[in-house]
Amino acid sequence: QVYVAESGGGSVQAGGSLRLSCKASGYTYGNAYIAWFRQAHGKEREGVASFYRDVKDAYYADSVKGRFTLSQDNAENTLYLQMNNLKPEDTAMYYCAARLWDYNWSRADFWSRATDYKYWGQGAQVTVSS
């Protein structure tokens, strides 16, 4: 059983920074895809960033490119989402999600499709005020 749990989040003014953590367990390194999603009130869940094996190969949504960055701590099985230059439109509940490796699944094509992920954390609220 794969488990993911977010921590971090909080409230910040526009232009500020926050860091979210996603601690994962229950899988062998390299055998799972990890992704960050967010869901604002009244909106659909959207993909923010995707990770597989190395942050150098991370994918980012266009809306966060250049502002959000993934980093990893393999010893702690933790993936971090560093969020800089935050904007009010970044306000949302942020979720960490995981799915096991699948030869037939194209990460490049489907990483941001929330329904493709089986394991979810409880979410972490990020609120950015103007």
Side-chain angles (χ1 to χ4, degrees), residues 59-94:
Y59 297 156
Y60 297 95
D62 289 343
S63 57
V64 306
K65 278 181 182 176
R67 301 187 299 121
F68 290 14
T69 305
L70 289 178
S71 62
Q72 62 189 108
D73 183 338
N74 292 338
E76 296 293 327
N77 287 338
T78 300
L79 183 69
Y80 300 100
L81 181 67
Q82 178 66 42
M83 305 181 291
N84 297 330
N85 191 21
L86 283 161
K87 305 175 181 181
E89 51 263 43
D90 294 318
T91 295
M93 185 71 79
Y94 283 71

